[in-house]
Amino acid sequence: MSETHAQGHTPTRLDQRPEWHALGKHRDQLADTHLRELFTADPERASRYTLQVGDLHIDYSKHLVTDETLELLRELASAIGVAELRDAMFRGEKINTTEDRAVLHIALRAPLSSVIEVDGHNVVPGVHHVLTRMGVFADRIRSGEWTGHTGKRIRNVVNIGIGGSDLGPAMAYEVLRPYSARDLQFRFVSNVDGADLHEAVRDLDPAETLFIVASKTFTTIETITNATSARDWLLAALGDDAAVAKHFVAVSTNAEKVAEFGIDVDNMFEFWDWVGGRYSYDSAIGLSLMVAIGEEHFREMLAGFHLVDEHFRCAPAEENVPLLLGLLGIWYGNFHDAQSHAVLPYSHYLARFTAYLQQLDMESNGKSVDRQGNPVSWQTGPVVWGTPGTNGQHAYYQLLHQGTKLIPADFIGFAKPIDELGELAGHHDLLMANFFAQTQALAFGKTPEEVAAEGVPAELVPHKTFRGNRPTTTILASELSPSVLGQLVALYEHKVFVQGAVWNIDSFDQWGVELGKVLAKRIEPALTEGAEVPGLDASTKALVRRYRELRGR
Ligand code: F6P
């Protein structure tokens, strides 16, 4: 591990590094240089500022950067030792220092021939063993061989999990619906609000329903509460405890807790503590997805992940896409005060992709102390947000185009619509015309002169002027296949890694979610029994009182 990232060392502070100061100076020199000027000055810019990784064509020409910016950013990464930390991750070193864990989601998609060791033990055979078990199970559900307690075929699969045990499978199922068994229904329950489970099961036949309880720890209160209620719902209909074995399977690292819940550990699919929740849907956490799309498509997706892993591990800095995207985020977040980052997919199937990325990015890099425990004095992870592009155009793009904030954005689009669309495939060119038009408008805008030349009255010219100079990355692929989804997710995983490495934070812990959990446990008896809770602040106490009145307690 590099000097910066080792615990117990006091590395040079990021903002005291000469490379950091050089970037600040360079930002001042570039000042308001407009993308119009940069494109005029370099007729090759559009072709020079593109990269290819797997099926993903990456155009970064519409960024507020020059060759010098990119060089300075790479020098910063090199001085910090980003590549060394990356190599330590791939070697299975315990780079998640606050939890003393290796970070090996890359092992989940490594070929069987790879050797990746944690504490001297090769973890790859175990990964493939579980994948094979998942494949057998998925086949049995898909073929109808696995039946419910009454002998009926399983028609509905309900995944119960939250955070990383929900967002990944739910997102990927939406993305890969066209590859899914259309005769099965898939639902995802995460919220402890009873409405979530109620709406998910109200029209289902319990005799045809399988629950997959997905929880790394198997102690998460939301998931255990939902799973317990799901079991009650099932048993109320089927009236026999033995039904649980046919209608419940678990995905977890905690066999003891799974058994305690009443699920046969033979029906448990394992993963490991070196897989972070938000990096886990390509592990057994993706079981519901594998049932939906089948083992072959799931493995195609894993191959897509692996392709980008290898690119990240081996590509030189100048061609390394996750490194580039990570550094561009540093450029805007730390040198242009950008607070947020928009991810705008031009595919309906990617509707939940940004929600998935919110956990990946914000739970990883929403930190304010460095690896050594010192407060950081630089901005860390951005607010990640966005929804499918065309819908956004009629909602919040106004702010992107003419607001006062700088919001870098990723535009993700595909050349081919899916085969199944039939006549509706004709919509695709219109969708993509919007995709291309938006990044053009954001980058180049419309000058007051251009507006006036259209005969617009003088008083309206300022309102119809677009300043432009709003940076975007365009990610274009041929089609949204399982492999391409894997490539996209791995790209963002490694981008987040790069940024955490630069900021010298632990991207793999999530202590920030703990306090709320502890307080909720403490407050619950105050709501139900009116118990006196020590340490409640005056505001919360009054709100609790009001809540009890409203509930007639
Ligand atoms: O919110 C914290 C968190 O630990 C996430 O990191 C995780 O994805 C989620 O809760 C669910 O945890 P589990 O899979 O253990 O139920």
Side-chain angles (χ1 to χ4, degrees):
M1 212 182 292
S2 73
E3 172 256 355
T4 304
H5 300 110
Q7 238 185 1
H9 277 275
T10 309
T12 311
R13 284 171 51 105
L14 180 59
D15 54 0
Q16 284 171 6
R17 287 185 178 275
E19 296 82 6
W20 190 261
H21 290 295
L23 277 160
K25 218 164 127 200
H26 172 69
R27 183 256 340 267
D28 296 343
Q29 280 158 0
L30 265 186
D32 286 331
T33 308
H34 202 283
L35 279 165
R36 285 170 182 255
E37 296 163 50
L38 295 176
F39 272 85
T40 309
D42 178 6
E44 303 300 316
R45 183 177 173 95
S47 57
R48 283 200 314 115
Y49 281 19
T50 61
L51 286 170
Q52 187 78 23
V53 48
D55 296 300
L56 309 177
H57 173 84
I58 315 286
D59 180 323
Y60 60 100
S61 61
K62 296 190 184 83
H63 276 288
L64 308 175
V65 295
T66 62
D67 289 356
E68 189 185 350
T69 325
L70 296 170
E71 192 49 41
L72 290 171
L73 286 166
R74 285 192 292 262
E75 278 169 16
L76 177 71
S78 160
I80 286 167
V82 173
E84 285 82 352
L85 188 68
R86 172 200 66 195
D87 294 345
M89 171 174 78
F90 276 82
R91 278 196 303 273
E93 284 181 31
K94 296 189 177 170
I95 63 166
N96 175 359
T97 47
T98 71
E99 294 181 327
D100 193 27
R101 286 180 183 165
V103 175
L104 275 182
H105 40 279
I106 53 103
L108 298 171
R109 50 269 188 152
L112 185 53
S113 53
S114 325
V115 177
I116 304 171
E117 294 187 342
V118 177
D119 294 330
H121 166 73
N122 181 13
V123 299
V124 179
V127 167
H128 283 263
H129 175 71
V130 175
L131 274 175
T132 305
R133 281 190 66 219
M134 289 166 64
V136 170
F137 176 76
D139 271 356
R140 291 183 70 195
I141 301 289
R142 289 162 63 84
S143 67
E145 187 200 323
W146 178 297
T147 53
H149 184 63
T150 65
K152 278 187 161 179
R153 195 178 166 167
I154 296 296
R155 299 270 173 209
N156 318 303
V157 176
V158 181
N159 187 83
I160 298 181
I162 197 163
S165 301
D166 165 72
L167 286 162
M171 172 279 288
Y173 168 66
E174 285 304 325
V175 175
L176 299 176
R177 255 177 200 268
Y179 295 84
S180 71
R182 298 287 200 175
D183 57 345
L184 294 173
Q185 284 206 69
F186 291 84
R187 295 191 179 162
F188 296 84
V189 172
S190 54
N191 198 329
V192 76
D193 182 341
D196 199 2
L197 181 63
H198 168 71
E199 290 297 334
V201 299
R202 56 178 287 283
D203 57 347
L204 303 185
D205 176 356
E208 297 183 340
T209 302
L210 174 82
F211 291 96
I212 298 179
V213 186
S215 174
K216 180 174 170 180
T217 54
F218 230 77
T219 57
T220 304
I221 188 83
E222 292 87 343
T223 298
I224 300 306
T225 304
N226 278 324
T228 305
S229 299
R231 188 176 54 192
D232 293 347
W233 173 82
L234 182 93
L235 294 182
L238 301 185
D240 182 356
D241 281 5
V244 171
K246 291 296 215 148
H247 293 269
F248 274 81
V249 299
V251 180
S252 190
T253 58
N254 192 342
E256 207 181 309
K257 289 281 175 198
V258 169
E260 215 173 89
F261 180 84
I263 297 177
D264 188 341
V265 284
D266 283 348
N267 291 338
M268 168 180 149
F269 296 83
E270 185 195 4
F271 67 116
W272 306 271
D273 78 349
W274 40 261
V275 184
R278 51 194 175 274
Y279 297 86
S280 69
Y281 96 80
D282 46 340
S283 71
I285 288 291
L287 184 63
S288 52
L289 175 68
M290 194 194 272
V291 175
I293 65 173
E295 182 180 353
E296 206 180 310
H297 286 135
F298 195 90
R299 286 189 185 266
E300 277 170 34
M301 182 186 78
L302 295 182
F305 272 98
H306 180 64
L307 187 154
V308 174
D309 293 343
E310 283 303 282
H311 165 87
F312 180 48
R313 191 171 70 83
C314 304
E318 296 74 18
E319 292 160 26
N320 199 307
V321 179
L323 179 69
L324 170 76
L325 298 186
L327 292 175
L328 287 170
I330 303 285
W331 180 233
Y332 296 117
N334 297 106
F335 296 94
H336 290 82
D337 297 327
Q339 297 288 317
S340 80
H341 183 93
V343 180
L344 306 167
Y346 278 66
S347 161
H348 189 68
Y349 291 110
L350 283 169
R352 301 213 55 196
F353 189 63
T354 311
Y356 168 76
L357 292 184
Q358 282 181 326
Q359 187 198 14
L360 175 65
D361 200 323
M362 295 165 77
E363 198 167 73
S364 295
N365 285 342
K367 312 284 164 66
S368 53
V369 293
D370 67 16
R371 286 173 166 274
Q372 291 72 32
N374 309 306
V376 297
S377 54
W378 44 89
Q379 287 290 313
T380 60
V383 175
V384 176
W385 62 281
T387 52
T390 39
N391 299 8
Q393 284 172 214
H394 293 274
Y396 50 78
Y397 273 38
Q398 165 65 39
L399 186 146
L400 295 187
H401 284 288
Q402 289 188 316
T404 52
K405 294 172 176 56
L406 178 78
I407 302 179
D410 297 345
F411 279 68
I412 306 173
F414 303 92
K416 293 188 204 150
I418 61 153
D419 295 343
E420 225 179 76
L421 287 189
E423 300 277 294
L424 298 174
H427 294 207
H428 198 71
D429 289 330
L430 180 56
L431 171 72
M432 291 305 284
N434 277 281
F435 175 79
F436 295 117
Q438 288 297 326
T439 60
Q440 180 181 353
L442 286 164
F444 301 105
K446 199 169 180 184
T447 62
E449 295 73 27
E450 285 166 342
V451 177
E454 286 172 358
V456 171
E459 68 276 16
L460 284 184
V461 167
H463 298 279
K464 296 198 167 196
T465 296
F466 289 66
R467 194 173 57 76
N469 235 16
R470 300 179 187 237
T472 58
T473 302
T474 297
I475 303 177
L476 182 64
S478 166
E479 60 192 313
L480 185 46
S481 63
S483 168
V484 165
L485 175 63
Q487 293 172 40
L488 277 172
V489 173
L491 185 64
Y492 280 97
E493 284 177 348
H494 298 318
K495 170 196 161 176
V496 166
F497 175 93
V498 166
Q499 297 189 333
V502 170
W503 291 320
N504 188 27
I505 54 179
D506 187 336
S507 300
F508 302 102
D509 61 16
Q510 56 286 315
W511 301 108
V513 297
E514 293 306 319
L515 178 60
K517 283 190 201 172
V518 172
L519 293 182
K521 231 183 230 166
R522 236 191 265 162
I523 291 174
E524 202 193 350
L527 306 187
T528 52
E529 300 150 23
E532 201 48 54
V533 177
L536 265 200
D537 66 275
S539 159
T540 311
K541 212 180 220 170
L543 287 166
V544 166
R545 205 177 312 120
R546 184 79 184 127
Y547 170 84
R548 281 183 57 81
E549 280 163 20
L550 291 169
R551 290 222 53 181
R553 288 179 178 154

